[in-house]
Amino acid sequence: MSMKFVTRIVIAFLTTAFWGYQAEATDTSGMYAGHPLDLGFTQTHYGASNYHQNSSWLNLGFWAEAGLYLNFHGNSLKKNGGGGHLPAQRYYYASGNTAFLGNLHSTNINLNQVGVFLEKKLADNGFNWGFKTQMLFGTDAYLTQSYSDSSMKHLSRTGDYYLSFSDLYLTLGNNNLGVRIGKFVSPLSYEHVESPNNFFYSHSYGFLQAPNTHTGLMLDYQPDHYISFFAGVTTGSDSGWSNRFGDSACLAGIRYKPWDDAALSYAFQYERIHGGFHKQEPHYTKHHGYLFDGEDLNAYYHSVVFTQKFEDWNYAAEWYLLKTLNHSDDLVLWGYKPFSCYGISQYLTYQMNSKLGVGVRAEWRRETLGRYNNLELTFGTNWTPRQHLVVRPEIRCDWLCGKDSWGHRYRFFNNGKSSEQFTFGVAVMYKY
């Protein structure tokens, strides 16, 4: 590793932060909700809650993000099916000669996401209907494809660029009780698929353990300002309506506000996964690889999230767990061993002014089958030089701790040669 190169990256990072600090305030933080779209209906208030918006309003949102991510190991990939090999599913833990961090890692500039959505939320004036349709294009769009049951997979794929629907659902209900029917982004993780809803350019390991999308029915209930619930039944993780392999899942969660500017939530999913073939291709699953006929298993996932805001400081902590509970005799015959992992991610951000935010993410993850630990530490800034425009540089360090059954250290980075990695990334995002 060249210290001269490291020094240049650090100087560039600090210079970006200084420029952002000198800027004046024009933007505010928060969940991205797009803009009200007036089609000539009666104009009323615009609320922040999912179920407190007048039914005559539509929300229209658009964003685009492009970025560059560099590491000192280059961009070569293994071709033997391990390490950095990219199968046809494209969903794999490694890309660009580095452990997979939730965005395409390459020495080239990539168009990560172009997203557009149109949404009509439920109103506060009795029973009514709403909908949301959201489309993604870019190198991140495979995250929201229904690859698990091979439906809506590789839709208009061009190389590493994909097109997918992350949300396509109808809502029915009133201001505190509603049901959504269709495909929707998973509510089980603290981080989000959509770039505008994340502070950091890269993702945590914990985000990659959770499902990305669900297809089915989900009920949302918010009796008052302090507590809310959701529960649903779906066709399994990252599957569509076709459900070719007969997977099923139930998910539920509760969110409670113990005091002002704080929230505590618990969410879980219990899933039944079946092996099989579709068009001579075996069932591909996110954490368990290919499953053939007779190879069935149950999986459990949960997350516990605590958030606290204090003036311009924001703190969040997420504890997550993924575990295979039981599996079929066929998997036992082939020597399948139950998989489980758990970890904690912590986030601390400070809004220096409404143009510049700085933050740090620290994470520890334990994988029990291989008996190793992942550690990552990420420093980043969000700089808004102009309204709607956000520049997000970050520095990230990853470590791998543990030894295999032969006493050799695990080395997942640098095509199996290194147990640590230093990366630098910067993304530019426009959101409207």
Side-chain angles (χ1 to χ4, degrees):
M1 180 183 296
S2 171
M3 290 304 298
K4 186 176 181 180
F5 185 49
V6 174
T7 302
R8 289 178 178 177
I9 289 178
V10 172
I11 292 174
F13 181 85
L14 295 177
T15 302
T16 302
F18 175 77
W19 285 346
Y21 183 73
Q22 299 300 313
E24 295 180 359
T26 60
D27 198 12
T28 57
S29 60
M31 295 299 293
Y32 180 61
H35 291 261
L37 179 64
D38 189 358
L39 298 181
F41 301 117
T42 303
Q43 182 172 348
T44 57
H45 68 277
Y46 175 64
S49 171
N50 286 341
Y51 300 106
H52 289 78
Q53 187 134 354
N54 187 276
S55 59
S56 63
W57 276 86
L58 292 175
N59 284 346
L60 175 67
F62 168 82
W63 73 90
E65 180 184 63
L68 175 69
Y69 224 87
L70 301 174
N71 70 81
F72 291 97
H73 303 318
N75 194 41
S76 62
L77 299 173
K78 278 188 175 181
K79 304 300 181 182
N80 60 359
H85 178 261
L86 299 178
Q89 285 72 16
R90 181 63 183 83
Y91 195 95
Y92 205 65
Y93 71 90
S95 175
N97 194 18
T98 178
F100 184 69
L101 307 178
N103 46 16
L104 183 65
H105 286 238
S106 172
T107 53
N108 299 320
I109 296 177
N110 293 290
L111 181 61
N112 301 114
Q113 292 187 15
V114 175
V116 60
F117 72 84
L118 183 65
E119 180 181 22
K120 177 181 181 292
K121 294 186 178 182
L122 297 181
D124 55 2
N125 55 358
F127 182 86
N128 58 95
W129 63 277
F131 70 89
K132 182 176 183 180
T133 176
Q134 178 170 280
M135 180 177 289
L136 293 180
F137 173 78
T139 58
D140 290 349
Y142 64 89
L143 287 168
T144 56
Q145 288 193 328
S146 301
Y147 61 84
S148 186
D149 66 349
S150 301
S151 66
M152 298 178 68
K153 187 183 73 172
H154 304 331
L155 178 63
S156 301
R157 175 187 177 186
T158 303
D160 286 325
Y161 288 85
Y162 292 74
L163 180 68
S164 68
F165 286 95
S166 58
D167 290 280
L168 192 61
Y169 63 82
L170 174 72
T171 56
L172 301 169
N174 56 30
N175 64 328
N176 64 353
L177 178 63
V179 59
R180 66 184 70 180
I181 307 169
K183 180 179 178 181
F184 46 89
V185 172
S186 176
L188 299 179
S189 176
Y190 174 73
E191 294 185 17
H192 300 267
V193 170
E194 301 92 345
S195 296
N197 290 333
N198 297 314
F199 185 90
F200 296 99
Y201 181 28
S202 67
H203 280 294
S204 66
Y205 292 108
F207 171 78
L208 301 178
Q209 311 306 315
N212 294 314
T213 63
H214 308 277
T215 302
L217 309 175
M218 191 171 77
L219 182 73
D220 295 275
Y221 178 52
Q222 185 173 345
D224 56 43
H225 177 70
Y226 297 98
I227 192 167
S228 60
F229 307 89
F230 72 84
V233 291
T234 72
T235 58
S237 300
D238 308 303
S239 295
W241 282 115
S242 63
N243 197 20
R244 295 186 174 102
F245 303 102
D247 294 353
S248 60
C250 63
L251 64 154
I254 180 173
R255 185 174 185 268
Y256 174 66
K257 298 184 67 174
W259 53 80
D260 291 340
D261 297 325
L264 179 64
S265 66
Y266 167 76
F268 77 91
Q269 174 179 271
Y270 183 83
E271 182 177 13
R272 179 66 173 172
I273 307 172
H274 300 277
F277 286 85
H278 172 67
K279 294 183 179 180
Q280 299 181 341
E281 183 180 333
H283 186 188
Y284 178 77
T285 61
K286 184 174 182 178
H287 299 290
H288 312 286
Y290 292 101
L291 294 177
F292 300 88
D293 289 328
E295 298 181 346
D296 306 328
L297 55 87
N298 293 351
Y300 171 79
Y301 171 85
H302 80 218
S303 67
V304 179
V305 178
F306 173 76
T307 60
Q308 173 69 65
K309 177 178 173 59
F310 179 73
E311 294 182 349
D312 295 323
W313 293 89
N314 285 277
Y315 171 77
E318 178 180 30
W319 177 62
Y320 56 87
L321 168 70
L322 173 68
K323 184 176 180 62
T324 301
L325 298 179
N326 53 62
H327 45 281
S328 63
D329 292 339
D330 283 13
L331 287 175
V332 175
L333 181 65
W334 290 105
Y336 177 82
K337 295 181 180 180
F339 171 83
S340 66
C341 67
Y342 53 88
I344 185 169
S345 305
Q346 296 187 83
Y347 309 78
L348 182 64
T349 62
Y350 175 63
Q351 197 67 31
M352 301 178 70
N353 55 50
S354 57
K355 267 203 171 184
L356 179 71
V358 295
V360 59
R361 179 181 62 208
E363 181 181 12
W364 167 80
R365 174 183 176 270
R366 173 70 173 177
E367 207 267 72
T368 58
L369 183 60
R371 297 182 180 179
Y372 62 83
N373 299 319
N374 291 104
L375 302 172
E376 67 103 348
L377 187 64
T378 303
F379 300 92
T381 68
N382 280 205
W383 173 43
T384 307
R386 296 288 185 271
Q387 188 177 13
H388 306 305
L389 184 66
V390 183
V391 181
R392 302 198 298 177
E394 72 173 44
I395 294 174
R396 174 165 177 156
C397 300
D398 291 83
W399 299 270
L400 185 66
C401 306
K403 296 182 179 180
D404 59 23
S405 56
W406 291 277
H408 301 141
R409 291 186 64 187
Y410 283 109
R411 303 177 186 273
F412 288 171
F413 304 106
N414 193 19
N415 280 334
K417 300 175 184 177
S418 303
S419 57
E420 65 277 331
Q421 182 167 264
F422 176 87
T423 48
F424 169 76
V426 59
V428 178
M429 176 173 58
Y430 178 85
K431 58 180 180 178
Y432 174 81

